[in-house]
Amino acid sequence: MMNEHSQFHARLEAHDDITINPSANPPLAELLNPSRRNVLKGGLTLAALGFFAGGISACGKASASPLLNFKGVPVQIDPAFDRVLVTEGYRAVPFFSWGDPVEAGAPAWNPDASDDWQAQLKQAGDNHDGMDFFAFPGESDRGLLVMNHEYINPPLHPSGKIDQSKPRPLNEVRKEQAAHGVSVIEVRKGADGQWQRVMDSAYNRRISMLTPMRLAGPLAAHALMQTASDPRGLEVLGTLNNCATGITPWGTFLTCEENWPNYFINRDPADYAARVAHKRYGLASSGTSKNYAWETADPRFDATPYPDQAHGGHVNEPNRFGWVVEIDPFDPQAQPIKRTAFGRFSRECAALSLGDDGRMAFYSGDDAKGEYLYKFVPSGRFDSANPKASRDLLDHGTLYVAKLNADGSGQWLALVHGQNGLSAEHGFPSQAEVLVNARAAADRAGATPMDRPEWAAVHPKSREVYVTLTNNDGRGNKQPVDKANPRPNNLHGQILRFNEQGADPTATTFTWELFLLAGEARGAKGKDGQPVPANLTGTINGDLFSSPDGVAFDAAGRLWIQTDYDDAEPAMQAMGCNQLLCADPSSREVRRFLVGPRGCEITGLAWSPDGKAMWANIQHPGISFPASDGKTRPRSTTVLITKLDGGVIGS
Ligand code: FEO
Ligand code: CA
Ligand code: CA
Ligand code: CA
């Protein structure tokens, strides 16, 4: 099961290949200095990796950083490693796994994975991803943990298989749709000081691909959103590929729809070529949709313009995905709302920066090779004295895309009809086309192609913005290297740090710098045994990792970094399983806090209000976690991490 599962995951990830940005936007002018390029070429040797595998913090050396008060854990290279290893003085226990009951009447998880989709609708979805904690007002020991379920893996089914070569059975498709979306679960700190689920809470809720949601903002009721099943263009069934998240100052959860193009197909070559919204996002054009072939059982995923409405009425269905969806976790009856003012792309996250005056920005990556970094600035302000007035703040505002200059400066380019070349003659007759085709609009405006922007995190005091660029093996080929994306065939990724002008979330200019390049470490030795020479700016100071993905700040300003690389890839084997690390933003020291089971990705982070409990997600473990018995099917799982002495995590 491990191999089959791992291969399936690898195949899903490879779909990023089809969305290489074809635009001709110029890269940053300045090239990497040649001595550095030589380092990179010979650099990532086993010797270098090995040095750091047993490296600084694993040896328990005292840290210069006042923030990193724990010992690093070593890499785990054993291909059978099937548990979570957390640093000494802490414990990590499974808390919430795929199939666990959520809503009233949900059956317990069945280890043989029955294909009862009605049961799945009430149970935890698959592939736990971004996650946030919402404290009940005035209560520090009680809250709602809200998390995304990004996609599904073959162990969802009793057969352990998803066969796209035949029409899909409808009950399997429905179960897969039910396992996408979001879970809301109530959690409470018990008398023993341990956090537990409240199993019968009225707040426990599943939202899935089968949950009706309202379309709001500039695209609501627009012709581009109208379909055979929703001729008014006002209500969409479901949300999918929910990856990272955001929170609003008024206490709602933002779930972000990432790789939606993989769920659709348009088989008409002429229509496909003419339709920017299908071509630029890389929908399938023949065979089946890339993920799961749902269209063989559920026609709304077939966006081909067949002449009869029953079958051809779904050309606009893809336009109804790729948005930010706002969910009020404290109102279990409230319909989720797709906020179209944010624009549409493969949306990774919506990270909030809140100014002192209530003005705000939400930062979002578009995770595909050579895609862009965006921010959405609502027109209004948050008024903490009147949070209810914020109800529809997200329906009005400006979408911007980042242009990074080689000298460390940058501009936010407004994606607004009539500005930056976004006119009818270029295919943007109104703001609706700009928002639906935000990638094409960003091409036209002259945005900087990046190495797969994933999460953003905003420093709790300085409002500096940290953005992970996870990797890009197309760099140096499809997109030339530049200062912010400096490595060709970039297997390991980097983290950038941005400062908005005046620390103002709404600024239109900023400065940026490389915070670190992953996959290399200061003081590492090259293949020849010699220290890596010359310019080490941006490399890692501390423990080694690849492909930074999730990032989040805790209240003390520690930057937590989560990784997502294929641990079966030869280039990754010496750094072993995926990791949760912690960085000091001042010293740039990075230390490994936790290692996950083989085949997993570590993603999603949330804290209790006192910082003494942390939840992290183990997504698509490869062997049999959390049973870790070598035979039970693996389950994506939230783990609860606490310090044995009851202290603040990381302190
Ligand atoms: Fe779902 Fe880009 O991670
Ligand atoms: Ca991610
Ligand atoms: Ca990733
Ligand atoms: Ca993932």
Side-chain angles (χ1 to χ4, degrees), residues 129 150 241 243-244 258-259 348 367 452 454 549 564 601:
D129 206 317
E150 188 181 23
N241 221 275
C243 191
E258 190 190 10
N259 289 311
E348 183 72 28
D367 178 10
R452 295 186 55 199
E454 290 254 18
D549 188 331
D564 174 21
E601 161 187 348

Side-chain angles (χ1 to χ4, degrees), residues 290-374:
K290 287 157 194 157
N291 286 5
Y292 318 127
W294 285 350
E295 75 280 359
T296 60
D298 187 344
R300 79 179 163 118
F301 296 90
D302 188 341
T304 309
Y306 303 111
D308 70 291
Q309 266 296 295
H311 298 98
H314 310 292
V315 288
N316 289 332
E317 190 68 24
N319 293 348
R320 293 143 62 89
F321 296 87
W323 304 104
V324 169
V325 185
E326 185 175 12
I327 294 169
D328 182 354
F330 291 106
D331 183 355
Q333 310 307 322
Q335 213 176 28
I337 304 172
K338 297 204 177 193
R339 298 290 187 187
T340 61
F342 274 83
R344 191 179 69 124
F345 41 87
S346 286
R347 164 103 38 194
E348 183 72 28
C349 64
L352 169 71
S353 178
L354 180 63
D356 296 332
D357 60 2
R359 291 184 301 163
M360 69 198 108
F362 295 89
Y363 298 89
S364 295
D366 181 353
D367 178 10
K369 297 172 190 178
E371 293 301 340
Y372 307 125
L373 175 67
Y374 298 80

Side-chain angles (χ1 to χ4, degrees), residues 55-64 70-72 589 591:
I56 298 169
S57 52
C59 296
K61 262 192 196 171
S63 170
F70 61 88
K71 280 189 184 177
E589 185 173 351
R591 191 167 302 170

Side-chain angles (χ1 to χ4, degrees), residues 45-59 71-87 492 519 521 540 542-546 563 565 567 571-581 590-598:
T45 62
L46 291 184
L49 295 167
F51 177 83
F52 276 89
I56 298 169
S57 52
C59 296
K71 280 189 184 177
V73 295
V75 295
Q76 296 301 318
I77 58 171
D78 177 1
F81 189 74
D82 194 25
R83 60 192 180 89
V84 168
L85 174 67
V86 67
T87 189
H492 298 298
I540 299 169
D543 285 341
L544 193 67
F545 65 95
S546 179
T563 68
Y565 49 83
D567 60 20
M572 310 300 170
Q573 287 192 4
M575 64 183 81
C577 299
N578 276 285
Q579 318 169 18
L580 169 61
L581 308 103
V590 180
R591 191 167 302 170
R592 189 179 300 109
F593 179 79
L594 174 152
V595 175
R598 182 61 55 168

